[in-house]
Amino acid sequence: MSFLQPAMLLALPVIALPIVIHLINQRRFQTVHWAAMHFLLAANRMSRGYARLRQWLILAARTLAVAGLIFAISRPLSSGWLGLAGGGRVDTAIILLDRSPSMNQIGPGGISKLQTGISRLAESLDRLQANRYVLIESGRREPIELASPSVMKGMPETTPLSETADIPAMLETAAEYIRVNRPSRCELWLCSDVRRADWKSDSGRWDAIRSALADLPQMVRYHLLAYPEVAPDNRSIRVSRVRRVEGNRVPGNRVAGNQAEPSQGARLLISFRIEQTRSTDGTETIPVQLEIGGGRSEFPVEMTGNILEVQDHAVPIDGFQETGWGRLSIPSDTSPADNEYFFVYEKESVRQTLILTEQPVAVRPLEFAAAVAPSPDVRCEVEVASPDQAIGRQIDDIAVVVWQAAIPDPSDPISGVLNEFARRGGRLIFLPPDNPTDSAFAGVRWSRWSDSQASRVSTWVGDRDLLANTRSGEALPVGDLRIRRSCAPQGELTALATLEDGSPLLARAMTPGANVYFCGTTAREEDSSMATSGVVLYAMMHRAIEAGAQSLGSAQQFIAGAVAVENDGQWRQVAGPRDALSSDYARVAGVYQMGDRWFAINRSEEEDLQAVVPEERVSSLFAELDFSRVNDTVGNQRSLIREVWRVFLVIMLIALFVEAVLCLPRRIAKEKGVAFGGASG
C-alpha cells in the first residue's frame, strides 16, 4: 500500500484513543459493596459473557472508525506498480521515453504503445505531484524540463522515430543528470517495449551502468512501464538493393528541330524482402505499391511461408534521370513503422576497395575476390597499400577498407582516418595480424592466435548482413569452411558466425552505422579454406562493397540515427511524415535533399526482429537497485494509480454504524402473566 500523504500516518497512534477513554472510564467509579445488590449481581453473571463481547466489539468498531479516517486522509493508492510512491512527494521525476519504431505498434482503438505509455505516465505523475519533471527521450537523449507531465501529449519530442533506442545510453544520461543536479529524492520512470535491439541486454555496458546508478548518493527508485506484447500478424518490407542500369533505346520526348530524338532508356533493379510472423497456408497475393519520384503504381507478389525474396524487380525509368528517389510499401497493419521503405538511386559509379596490409601476399585472395565484378554493368577496382599510406590519402571515393595489421592506438593519426571513414558510412573490415596487440577499435580487440585443428563454423546469421542467403534463398556454404587457426575478436560486438568452441569467427562492432567488421582468421591456406572455398569470401566482400558504395556519391542510404552528415537546417524533406521536426530528419524515415545530394533514411534491420528481453533478464540488469515493473497492454485505458480513500471512508461509516447498533439498550423479555412488583389481580 502506498500513500500520497504519508505524513498523516503519523497520527495512527490516535486509534488507541477509544481504548484509553475506556480505561479512564473504568477508573472514574469506586466499587461499594451493598448487600441489596448481591441478588442483582448474581443474576447479571448469567449474561456477563455477552456483555463483555459487546463491549469489545464496540471498542473495536470505534478504533476501526478512527483508523479508517486517518487512512482516508493519507490518500492511499492501489495499483499493480509495487512500491509506486511510498515516501510521499519526490523532488525530481525523470521520464525515459522509448520512441523506437516498434513503440508505434497499434492496439485497439488505433492507439499506439507510445501514445498509451505517454498517457499513462502523464496521468500517474500528475497525481503524484513531483517538484520537477525531466524528460529524456531516445532521440537526442538530452534532459528536457517539463512544466507538467501532461505537456508530453502534445510535444513533437514525443512523436515516433525510426531510430533504434539506446536504453543504456539513456540511463547514462539520467545518471549524469542526477549526479550534476543532486535532487534530494528522485524517481526514474522508463517506458519501453523491452525489445532486444533497444536494450542491448548482452552489452558489457550494463555492468558499468548498474554500478554508476548504485553509487549515486541520492535515493533513486526505478520504475519500468513495459509493453512486451508483439504483433501476432505483423508483416514488414525492406529494400535490400537498388541499382540503376542502362537499358535499350526507347522513344524519347526531346525534340531537335522537327524530329523527335530517341533517348537512352534505363531501368531500376529493385531487390526487396517481405517477412511475416504468421505463415500462410498456400499462396497469398500481396499488393506492393511502388512510388518513384511522386508517381505511383502497384504490382502483386505471391507469398508462401514466412519470407519472400524478390530479386531485381525491373522498373523502366527515363534514361536522363540519373538521380532520384522511391518508396516501396505494403498494406498497413498493427505495426505501420515497418510497412514502407525508402530508397534513392543514381548512376552506377566505380566501386573501389582499399586493402591496407603489411603482408600483400596474405591478402591476394581478398584482392582477387574484390576485383571480380558481380555483373557486367558494375566496375570494381582494388588497391593494396601499406597502413602508413592511409595518412593523407583521399578515401572519400572508397567503398571498403580492409585492414590487415595491428589495430592502431587511438592516439595514432591512422586511427582517426579509420574512424572518419566509418563515420562517413564506408565498410571497414579488420583481419587479425600475426602479432595482435591490446589496442582496440570501436570497443573490439584481438585475442591471441589459437590452433583450431580444422574447426567448423557451428552457427551463423543467414537472414541478413554479410553471410545472408543467396538470391535464390539457398544458404552460403559457411559450414563447409575449415578454420585451422583463429584469432577471436573480443569486446562489444554482435557475432555473425561462431566456431564450434563458441568463439566468434565473424563479428560486427556495436557502432551506430553497423559497418565495422572483424574476421577472426585470414584467407591464407595455413589459416583457413576461405581461399579454396571462395564462395563465402566472394559473397562477403561484395556485400560489403555494395553496402559501402551506397554511402558514396550524391544518393546515399542511411540507417536512422547513424547519418554521418550533420543537418544544419539545409535539409529539405521530399518524402516522409510531415509532422517531423527538421532537427529530427536524420532520425525519421523518409527522403531528404541537401543541394544536389539525396538521403534515404530507414529503420535498422534489428527493428524488424520482434525479440523481447525476458523479464528475468531485465530484473538482473537492475539487480541491487530499488526496481519495480508493471506490464501494460497497448490501448489500455485503466489508470496505473487509483486512490482508494473512499474505501476507507466506507469502512469508517460501517464501523460507526456497527458501534451505534451495539450501543442500543438491550430489550428485556417479559414472561407471560408475570410483572415486577407482584402478581396480577
Side-chain angles (χ1 to χ4, degrees):
M1 182 66 66
S2 305
F3 302 88
L4 289 180
Q5 301 292 340
M8 295 302 301
L9 296 177
L10 297 176
L12 275 177
V14 176
I15 64 176
L17 188 60
I19 302 175
V20 174
I21 295 175
H22 172 73
L23 295 176
I24 293 175
N25 252 348
Q26 283 189 329
R27 293 185 173 276
R28 287 178 56 190
F29 306 97
Q30 294 182 355
T31 303
V32 178
H33 296 283
W34 181 25
M37 294 298 295
H38 286 182
F39 173 77
L40 295 175
L41 290 174
N44 192 43
R45 290 192 185 99
M46 299 178 60
S47 60
R48 182 176 298 176
Y50 169 76
R52 284 187 175 180
L53 177 62
R54 187 177 68 165
Q55 289 174 359
W56 282 112
L57 290 175
I58 291 173
L59 190 61
R62 291 172 178 172
T63 304
L64 186 60
V66 176
L69 179 61
I70 294 174
F71 276 104
I73 296 175
S74 300
R75 299 179 65 186
L77 304 175
S78 175
S79 77
W81 205 311
L82 300 178
L84 188 61
R89 175 179 292 191
V90 300
D91 179 44
T92 302
I94 302 178
I95 306 159
L96 271 59
L97 188 62
D98 181 355
R99 299 171 64 191
S100 60
S102 56
M103 286 291 286
N104 204 30
Q105 179 182 327
I106 297 174
I111 302 176
S112 67
K113 290 181 177 179
L114 184 60
Q115 293 171 326
T116 304
I118 291 173
S119 178
R120 306 294 295 281
L121 286 177
E123 177 189 7
S124 302
L125 292 176
D126 272 332
R127 185 166 295 177
L128 293 177
Q129 299 178 350
N131 296 326
R132 178 186 299 174
Y133 304 96
V134 177
L135 171 67
I136 299 175
E137 44 84 23
S138 61
R140 299 182 188 88
R141 297 196 294 270
E142 297 176 354
I144 303 174
E145 293 210 9
L146 307 176
S148 69
S150 58
V151 302
M152 290 192 299
K153 298 180 180 179
M155 292 177 61
E157 290 85 359
T158 60
T159 55
L161 296 177
S162 303
E163 178 186 13
T164 299
D166 190 343
I167 300 299
M170 295 170 66
L171 286 169
E172 289 172 344
T173 302
E176 181 64 22
Y177 178 88
I178 297 172
R179 189 178 299 108
V180 171
N181 292 272
R182 300 181 179 180
S184 58
R185 185 170 178 271
C186 182
E187 296 207 359
L188 189 146
W189 310 74
L190 174 56
C191 178
S192 173
D193 57 354
V194 209
R195 294 292 177 93
R196 287 186 183 272
D198 304 318
W199 281 67
K200 302 171 177 58
S201 56
D202 297 330
S203 171
R205 298 161 59 192
W206 276 101
D207 293 335
I209 292 171
R210 185 166 53 250
S211 299
L213 295 176
D215 292 340
L216 290 174
Q218 294 87 351
M219 175 183 177
V220 183
R221 308 185 71 190
Y222 303 88
H223 310 289
L224 171 61
L225 177 58
Y227 293 89
E229 61 182 325
V230 297
D233 298 319
N234 184 52
R235 183 178 288 156
S236 64
I237 187 169
R238 173 175 294 275
V239 177
S240 56
R241 182 175 61 171
V242 177
R243 291 189 297 142
R244 180 193 179 279
V245 298
E246 300 295 337
N248 298 324
R249 288 185 174 271
V250 296
N253 55 5
R254 294 193 303 169
V255 177
N258 294 326
Q259 296 183 357
E261 178 181 334
S263 64
Q264 179 68 30
R267 293 175 298 161
L268 288 183
L269 300 181
I270 306 174
S271 300
F272 61 92
R273 174 191 184 99
I274 298 178
E275 293 186 58
Q276 59 185 13
T277 56
R278 175 181 54 86
S279 181
T280 58
D281 296 330
T283 302
E284 183 177 358
T285 301
I286 302 175
V288 178
Q289 188 176 89
L290 171 64
E291 180 179 2
I292 296 181
R296 298 186 181 184
S297 62
E298 187 174 287
F299 60 93
V301 295
E302 303 293 332
M303 185 165 189
T304 303
N306 299 89
I307 301 175
L308 170 66
E309 290 274 3
V310 177
Q311 298 292 336
D312 293 340
H313 175 77
V315 180
I317 61 172
D318 189 345
F320 298 102
Q321 185 70 32
E322 295 187 353
T323 305
W325 66 275
R327 166 171 48 189
L328 277 184
S329 59
I330 55 178
S332 184
D333 52 25
T334 56
S335 295
D338 56 12
N339 295 147
E340 63 180 4
Y341 203 91
F342 297 90
F343 61 87
V344 290
Y345 64 89
E346 64 178 335
K347 191 174 181 178
E348 191 75 35
S349 59
V350 179
R351 300 178 179 179
Q352 300 186 56
T353 301
L354 176 62
I355 301 178
L356 300 173
T357 179
E358 296 172 344
Q359 298 175 324
V361 178
V363 295
R364 285 287 172 80
L366 279 78
E367 180 183 359
F368 179 77
V372 179
S375 60
D377 56 301
V378 176
R379 291 176 53 200
C380 295
E381 295 181 356
V382 182
E383 179 184 353
V384 180
S386 62
D388 55 0
Q389 290 179 315
I391 300 178
R393 190 194 186 285
Q394 181 62 256
I395 61 174
D396 290 343
D397 54 349
I398 301 297
V400 172
V401 170
V402 178
W403 180 274
Q404 203 267 320
I407 296 177
D409 189 84
S411 60
D412 194 318
I414 296 180
S415 182
V417 173
L418 297 179
N419 271 298
E420 179 60 25
F421 176 79
R423 192 189 71 85
R424 192 257 297 163
R427 265 42 184 181
L428 183 57
I429 301 177
F430 284 90
L431 298 179
D434 289 339
N435 299 304
T437 63
D438 292 333
S439 296
F441 187 91
V444 181
R445 59 174 47 86
W446 294 114
S447 61
R448 294 292 179 260
W449 282 95
S450 63
D451 294 331
S452 302
Q453 298 180 353
S455 175
R456 292 176 179 266
V457 179
S458 60
T459 59
W460 68 91
V461 178
D463 57 349
R464 52 183 47 83
D465 223 301
L466 300 186
L467 300 179
N469 299 337
T470 63
R471 298 182 185 180
S472 61
E474 297 181 1
L476 291 176
V478 182
D480 295 338
L481 293 177
R482 296 294 184 272
I483 310 301
R484 303 179 181 93
R485 294 177 68 234
S486 63
C487 182
Q490 297 176 335
E492 297 183 5
L493 49 80
T494 299
L496 301 179
T498 306
L499 295 176
E500 292 174 329
D501 60 0
S503 60
L505 175 67
L506 179 65
R508 188 182 66 225
M510 305 288 284
T511 56
N515 57 345
V516 179
Y517 298 88
F518 290 80
C519 182
T521 189
T522 71
R524 291 178 299 193
E525 185 177 357
E526 60 268 26
D527 292 340
S528 72
S529 63
M530 294 182 69
T532 55
S533 303
V535 176
V536 176
L537 178 63
Y538 183 83
M540 283 175 49
M541 286 301 302
H542 281 280
R543 284 169 179 170
I545 292 171
E546 184 175 354
Q550 292 179 355
S551 65
L552 303 173
S554 58
Q556 301 179 20
Q557 301 276 157
F558 287 108
I559 298 300
V563 182
V565 180
E566 296 295 334
N567 179 9
D568 56 0
Q570 300 180 10
W571 283 32
R572 180 178 67 88
Q573 188 182 48
V574 180
R578 296 301 176 185
D579 58 347
L581 291 174
S582 60
S583 56
D584 279 340
Y585 282 168
R587 303 180 181 92
V588 178
V591 177
Y592 306 92
Q593 188 177 14
M594 185 177 68
D596 60 348
R597 303 181 67 184
W598 296 74
F599 306 102
I601 307 296
N602 290 285
R603 67 192 183 276
S604 66
E605 290 188 39
E606 287 79 5
E607 281 297 327
D608 290 346
L609 305 176
Q610 300 197 57
V612 176
V613 183
E615 191 165 344
E616 315 82 62
R617 177 56 179 161
V618 174
S619 299
S620 67
L621 296 178
F622 290 91
E624 300 180 0
L625 298 176
D626 191 351
F627 173 73
S628 61
R629 167 177 176 157
V630 61
N631 290 328
D632 198 15
T633 56
V634 57
N636 187 7
Q637 298 298 318
R638 293 181 300 172
S639 176
L640 282 175
I641 302 176
R642 295 187 299 274
E643 292 193 47
V644 292
W645 56 269
R646 295 178 182 85
V647 175
F648 289 93
L649 283 183
V650 171
I651 293 175
M652 183 191 72
L653 293 175
I654 293 175
L656 291 176
F657 176 78
V658 171
E659 189 263 353
V661 171
L662 292 174
C663 287
L664 290 175
R666 183 182 179 188
R667 297 176 60 186
I668 302 176
K670 297 181 180 181
E671 294 184 5
K672 186 176 181 180
V674 179
F676 289 102
S680 60

